[in-house]
C-alpha cells in the first residue's frame, strides 16, 4: 500500500505514520508512506499524477489548504481516494465536491483509522482494472476503461484516451500482453483489447460498429480494419459481450 500524507504539524505527522505502520504490521501488508509538510511540497514532487492508494490531507494546511489541494488533484485524477483530517465538523459537507473517501476528526486513533483502512483494502480488491506506466519520468495509473485505442508507429505507442494522448517507446505485442494480464487479473474473461490492424489495438468496450474496412469507436473515431484482422476482431468482439458464444 502506498500512502501520501500532507500535514503541517510534525507531531501529527509522526503520530499518523506510527499508526499506519502499526496497521501494516498487524495486517502483514507492504507499506510506503510519503509525508509532506504542505501542499507546495506535495505538488513539487507530484504536479499532475498521483500514484497512491490513498492520500491523507489536513484541511487546515497553511498556504494552499487541503480542500484546495484536493480540487487540484481532482483536475487530473478522479479515482485516487482522498481522506481529510480536520478539527472542524463543518468541513464535512465540502467534501462532496471533491468526492472525499472519508473524514477523520483529530485526534486520530486506532479505533477511528483502522476500520477505514480495512474498508479501503476491500475497495482495492474491487478496483477497476488498470496498468501502472512510467511516462516522462513519472509513474501513472492508467484505467483500462479510459483507454480508447492504441496506435503503433515505428516502435512507439500512442495511447488515446478521452483526456488526450501519451506516447512512449514500447513493442505493441508486449503492451497487448500487459493489457490482457491486467484485464484478467481483475476477473475479466477473454480479451478486452483486440487488433483491428497491425498498427492498432482497440478497446472492445468502446467499439460501436465493425465493418470490413473500419471500426467505429464510442467517441466517433474511425480505426482502419485490415483484411487479415476483420474475422478475428468480429469474433473477439462477440466473445467480449457474450463470453460463451463460441
Amino acid at each position: 500500500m502506498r500512502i501520501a500524507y500532507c500535514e503541517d504539524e510534525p507531531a501529527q505527522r509522526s503520530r499518523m505514520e506510527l499508526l499506519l505502520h502499526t496497521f501494516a504490521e498487524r495486517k502483514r501488508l507492504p507499506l510506503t508512506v510519503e509525508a509532506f509538510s504542505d501542499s507546495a511540497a506535495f505538488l513539487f514532487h507530484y504536479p499532475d499524477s498521483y500514484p497512491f492508494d490513498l492520500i491523507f490531507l489536513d484541511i487546515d494546511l497553511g498556504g494552499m489548504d487541503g480542500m484546495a489541494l484536493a480540487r487540484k488533484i481532482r483536475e487530473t485524477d478522479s479515482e485516487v481516494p482522498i481522506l481529510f483530517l480536520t478539527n472542524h465538523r463543518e468541513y464535512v459537507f465540502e467534501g462532496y465536491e471533491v468526492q472525499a473517501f472519508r473524514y477523520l476528526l483529530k485526534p486520530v486513533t486506532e479505533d477511528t483509522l483502522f476500520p477505514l483502512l480495512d474498508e479501503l483494502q476491500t475497495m482495492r480488491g474491487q478496483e477497476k482494472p488498470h496498468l501502472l506506466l512510467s511516462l516522462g519520468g513519472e509513474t501513472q495509473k492508467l484505467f483500462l476503461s479510459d483507454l480508447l485505442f492504441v496506435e503503433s508507429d515505428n516502435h512507439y505507442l500512442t495511447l488515446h484516451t478521452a483526456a488526450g494522448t501519451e506516447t512512449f517507446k514500447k513493442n505493441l505485442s508486449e503492451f497487448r500482453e500487459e493489457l490482457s494480464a491486467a484485464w484478467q487479473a481483475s476477473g475479466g474473461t477473454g480479451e478486452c483489447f483486440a487488433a483491428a490492424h497491425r498498427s492498432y489495438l482497440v478497446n472492445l468496450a468502446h467499439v460501436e460498429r465493425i465493418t470490413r474496412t473500419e471500426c467505429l469507436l464510442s467517441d466517433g473515431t474511425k480505426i482502419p480494419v485490415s483484411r487479415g484482422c476483420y474475422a478475428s476482431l468480429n469474433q473477439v468482439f462477440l466473445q467480449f459481450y457474450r463470453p460463451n458464444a463460441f
Side-chain angles (χ1 to χ4, degrees), residues 97-108:
E97 177 187 346
V98 292
Q99 303 163 351
F101 169 57
R102 288 290 187 276
Y103 277 80
L104 278 180
L105 290 174
K106 296 179 180 179
V108 177

Side-chain angles (χ1 to χ4, degrees), residues 65-129:
D65 65 26
M67 190 63 67
L69 178 54
R71 293 190 187 102
K72 171 65 176 174
I73 292 170
R74 286 291 180 247
E75 288 178 4
T76 55
D77 192 325
S78 62
E79 302 289 341
V80 62
I82 295 174
L83 193 153
F84 285 117
L85 305 170
T86 181
N87 292 309
H88 311 288
R89 291 182 181 274
E90 60 266 25
Y91 282 117
V92 171
F93 297 102
E94 293 186 39
Y96 293 113
E97 177 187 346
V98 292
Q99 303 163 351
F101 169 57
R102 288 290 187 276
Y103 277 80
L104 278 180
L105 290 174
K106 296 179 180 179
V108 177
T109 66
E110 288 190 13
D111 291 340
T112 57
L113 176 63
F114 288 9
L116 295 184
L117 295 177
D118 281 329
E119 183 178 349
L120 179 66
Q121 284 296 102
T122 300
M123 290 173 57
R124 288 182 68 206
Q126 301 169 345
E127 188 173 25
K128 295 192 301 182

Side-chain angles (χ1 to χ4, degrees), residues 25-190:
E25 288 173 6
R26 290 182 185 177
K27 299 291 183 176
R28 297 183 179 179
L29 295 172
L31 174 68
T32 300
V33 179
E34 295 187 46
F36 304 91
S37 59
D38 54 34
S39 298
F42 178 86
L43 292 173
F44 177 80
H45 288 87
Y46 300 98
D48 50 25
S49 65
Y50 315 101
F52 299 102
D53 298 301
L54 177 63
I55 299 176
F56 285 94
L57 299 179
D58 176 19
I59 287 185
D60 302 314
L61 288 170
M64 178 189 284
D65 65 26
M67 190 63 67
L69 178 54
R71 293 190 187 102
K72 171 65 176 174
I73 292 170
R74 286 291 180 247
E75 288 178 4
T76 55
D77 192 325
S78 62
E79 302 289 341
V80 62
I82 295 174
L83 193 153
F84 285 117
L85 305 170
T86 181
N87 292 309
H88 311 288
R89 291 182 181 274
E90 60 266 25
Y91 282 117
V92 171
F93 297 102
E94 293 186 39
Y96 293 113
E97 177 187 346
V98 292
Q99 303 163 351
F101 169 57
R102 288 290 187 276
Y103 277 80
L104 278 180
L105 290 174
K106 296 179 180 179
V108 177
T109 66
E110 288 190 13
D111 291 340
T112 57
L113 176 63
F114 288 9
L116 295 184
L117 295 177
D118 281 329
E119 183 178 349
L120 179 66
Q121 284 296 102
T122 300
M123 290 173 57
R124 288 182 68 206
Q126 301 169 345
E127 188 173 25
K128 295 192 301 182
H130 66 275
L131 286 175
L132 293 179
L133 301 176
S134 295
L135 301 172
E138 297 180 348
T139 301
Q140 298 184 25
K141 182 182 289 186
L142 172 69
F143 288 96
L144 302 196
S145 59
D146 292 338
L147 183 56
L148 297 168
F149 67 98
V150 183
E151 183 178 5
S152 174
D153 182 27
N154 196 26
H155 305 296
Y156 282 85
L157 301 182
T158 299
L159 309 183
H160 294 259
T161 71
T165 61
E166 291 281 359
T167 300
F168 59 104
K169 191 171 185 178
K170 197 173 188 70
N171 178 274
L172 183 62
S173 296
E174 292 179 4
F175 190 63
R176 183 178 183 178
E177 291 178 2
E178 292 177 9
L179 291 170
S180 179
W183 170 247
Q184 293 176 12
S186 70
T189 58

